[in-house]
Amino acid sequence: MSIEPAIADRAPADGAPSDESTGRFIADLDDRTPAGIAAAVGRLIRSGTLSPGSRLPTVREVARELRVSPVTVNQAWRALAATGAIVARGRAGTFVGEQISATPVGRSQRLHPPSDSAFRVDLARGTPDPELLPDLGAALRALSRDQAGDLAADYLGEAVLPDLAAKVRADWPFRAERLAVLDGALDAVDRLLAVHVRLGDAVAVEDPCFPPFLDLLAVMGARPVPLRLDESGPLPADLARAVTKYAAVAVILQPRAQNPTGASFTAHRVRELSDVLDGSRTMVIEDDHSAGIASAASRSLGTRLPGRTVHIRSYSKSHGADLRLAVAGGPAELLDPVVARRMLGPGWTSRLLQRVLVNMLDDNSAGKAVATARAEYRRRSSALRRALARHGVTVARGDGINLWLPVADENAAMISLAAAGIKAAPGGPFVVGDRPSIDHLRLTIAAVTDADVDWLATELAAATTATPTYRRVRRA
């Protein structure tokens, strides 16, 4: 809903003066885009220069001060209002909110709602098959008493174990100036955004997108700019639009096994996207969440843009979620502030867990287990797609553990599947831009067994054509 009428040019009904400090402060702005204006006002609010309840100047006052269009200021005000930083009160004017909202919009909660229902098959989890993970116990047993004691007692040791750094660098997609170990891929993305993105900034994201990314952007008051996808990843034209029209300060990408579509970068697409970003200052964040279990080659924009790309490789899906380990590699300019800020909190990721991961990466049996899982996920995905094709349902081929199933109506499809004892993830939380012409469900194939494939395909095919039913009301 637009807040333009509430922040129109009329003076407050009570004649109270506006807070002119806002206009004077942001009059020196170099960035007079909507994002730049929103970020400047956001800094005033966070610093306390603008206190809760302060009335903001009218749109025309700010536009006149900055010598920009009132439309530009309105866009900035809408971005601020979406976070709760400012509140429109009709004819009274627009005021600084009591506090900037820190509550996620809840896409992640919509994706995994609590449920007491029993389902025969759960295709909504988005997690790997526990039976295909390597033996964590063997890696723990390999941790010697001396190693454990030395690591546990050391507050001042290296934040990244040298052995792990050497292992990672051996097959990293580009020469990374700095490596950091964090508590999973989402933690790495969160910390990068928190340090480098400000209130009102535009951030380009894939559409459909991993819902927690959108929740993170909502918390910090950043604006997601959607990038449509094909089988090779984001469309270069959409990225060019995000950079030139919206001045995106960052772009979040999933280079392979994109969640939810399974799309993976080609070498040609990497060149196209890099060419778009060449000459810009846009930070590239790559979440390679399915390293190990993805069949596609490891590709990164860092091969062409090493000074602005942070590539994140996590081990949750390949080696175990409770390891909570991800390695981020990229330029010191982007990673050093993250590491420095983290030292004021947890400091570092447990070096004991890092040692466990090193042991698993060195262990031949663990390596074979990961390779077996990769082949098995590919086989299960192919088996379900072939079974669906026999029912006339075509699903785009993707990598990893998810399928993006087109349906006539998301809610009707969910109800149809639930009645059959099948739990699926709704596609709505993944959508960034306008509602697409075709609804989708995300299906995780990790738990699909051979015995269930034909039955699942029959029920899924029926769900794709399910439509809402409405009870007719008899006229009196």
Side-chain angles (χ1 to χ4, degrees):
M1 181 180 68
S2 172
I3 64 169
E4 185 170 348
I7 55 175
D9 306 320
R10 62 176 65 94
D14 59 6
S18 62
D19 188 339
E20 295 181 357
S21 64
T22 306
R24 288 199 305 270
F25 177 86
I26 62 178
D28 296 329
L29 271 182
D30 292 328
D31 182 1
R32 301 194 180 196
T33 63
I37 296 169
V41 176
R43 286 192 293 270
L44 281 174
I45 295 172
R46 288 196 302 273
S47 68
T49 303
L50 284 176
S51 59
S54 300
R55 189 178 71 79
L56 297 176
T58 67
V59 167
R60 284 192 183 277
E61 288 172 338
V62 177
R64 185 168 52 250
E65 188 76 28
L66 295 179
R67 297 182 181 180
V68 298
S69 165
V71 173
T72 299
V73 180
N74 259 316
Q75 291 174 343
W77 258 227
R78 279 195 289 270
L80 291 162
T83 71
I86 66 175
V87 178
R89 297 176 183 165
R91 293 181 61 86
T94 303
F95 298 80
V96 176
E98 291 303 313
Q99 61 181 7
I100 297 178
S101 172
T103 303
V105 296
R107 288 175 181 259
S108 303
Q109 288 85 341
R110 287 173 58 201
L111 189 61
H112 298 292
S115 174
D116 296 327
S117 302
F119 291 90
R120 174 177 168 181
V121 176
D122 187 349
L123 304 181
R125 294 178 61 83
T127 57
D129 184 349
E131 298 299 321
L132 295 179
L133 292 171
D135 181 10
L136 183 59
L140 290 170
R141 290 190 293 272
L143 190 64
S144 71
R145 177 174 298 180
D146 289 342
Q147 286 177 331
D150 290 344
L151 292 170
D154 194 351
Y155 277 85
L156 304 176
E158 294 285 345
V160 181
L161 285 186
D163 288 354
L164 179 57
K167 278 284 180 186
V168 167
R169 287 189 182 279
D171 63 349
W172 203 253
F174 62 96
R175 186 183 295 275
E177 182 181 10
R178 190 78 79 242
L179 292 179
V181 176
L182 297 125
D183 300 334
L186 196 56
D187 179 53
V189 173
D190 181 17
R191 292 181 182 280
L192 283 162
L193 293 175
V195 169
H196 296 291
V197 175
R198 295 291 177 262
L199 181 70
D201 284 350
V203 176
V205 294
E206 299 157 333
D207 187 13
C209 177
F210 185 45
F213 293 161
L214 302 176
D215 284 345
L216 286 175
L217 295 177
V219 167
M220 63 183 55
R223 298 178 299 136
V225 178
L227 308 175
R228 292 170 297 169
L229 301 173
D230 62 15
E231 65 278 2
S232 300
L235 301 181
D238 282 15
L239 181 59
R241 177 172 171 267
V243 173
T244 57
K245 181 176 181 179
Y246 296 101
V249 301
V251 56
I252 306 174
L253 304 171
Q254 300 173 73
R256 53 180 168 176
Q258 197 265 353
N259 188 355
T261 67
S264 297
F265 285 176
T266 61
H268 180 64
R269 184 55 52 85
V270 168
R271 289 194 296 272
E272 290 181 312
L273 297 175
S274 299
D275 288 345
V276 168
L277 295 173
D278 190 26
S280 76
R281 292 299 301 165
T282 305
M283 174 177 63
V284 180
I285 301 175
E286 295 178 335
D287 175 16
D288 190 12
H289 51 77
S290 289
I293 64 168
S295 299
S298 174
R299 292 192 171 95
S300 170
L301 271 65
T303 56
R304 296 169 65 88
L305 301 171
R308 290 204 311 283
T309 302
V310 177
H311 188 81
I312 302 165
R313 178 185 296 172
S314 60
Y315 298 87
S316 296
K317 291 182 175 64
S318 58
H319 290 76
D322 205 44
L323 284 173
R324 307 312 306 141
L325 286 177
V327 178
E333 177 185 3
L334 296 178
L335 280 173
D336 282 355
V338 173
V339 173
R341 174 63 184 86
R342 195 174 187 234
M343 289 304 297
L344 300 177
W348 66 90
T349 294
S350 168
R351 290 184 285 266
L352 286 171
L353 292 178
Q354 292 185 50
R355 174 55 63 186
V356 170
L357 178 59
V358 170
N359 289 341
M360 296 180 84
L361 295 176
D362 281 335
D363 182 55
N364 288 334
S365 61
K368 290 179 180 178
V370 173
T372 297
R374 180 168 60 247
E376 180 62 14
Y377 291 139
R378 189 175 183 86
R379 189 190 69 81
R380 292 178 187 180
S381 177
S382 297
L384 185 56
R385 282 190 295 105
R386 286 196 300 268
L388 285 167
R390 290 193 289 271
H391 290 273
V393 178
T394 300
V395 180
R397 183 172 181 174
D399 201 355
I401 61 174
N402 297 309
L403 293 181
W404 191 232
L405 179 72
V407 297
D409 183 89
E410 174 185 306
N411 291 330
M414 295 278 290
I415 292 170
S416 174
L417 292 176
I422 302 168
K423 186 177 182 181
F430 296 88
V431 176
V432 185
D434 297 332
R435 181 185 174 96
S437 58
I438 301 176
D439 283 1
H440 288 81
L441 301 181
R442 190 200 66 180
L443 310 176
T444 301
I445 54 86
V448 172
T449 65
D450 291 342
D452 285 337
V453 167
D454 290 337
W455 165 72
L456 278 173
T458 300
E459 297 296 340
L460 290 169
T464 62
T465 58
T467 54
T469 57
Y470 300 97
R471 186 174 61 183
R472 292 182 178 179
V473 180
R474 178 182 297 177
R475 293 179 180 273

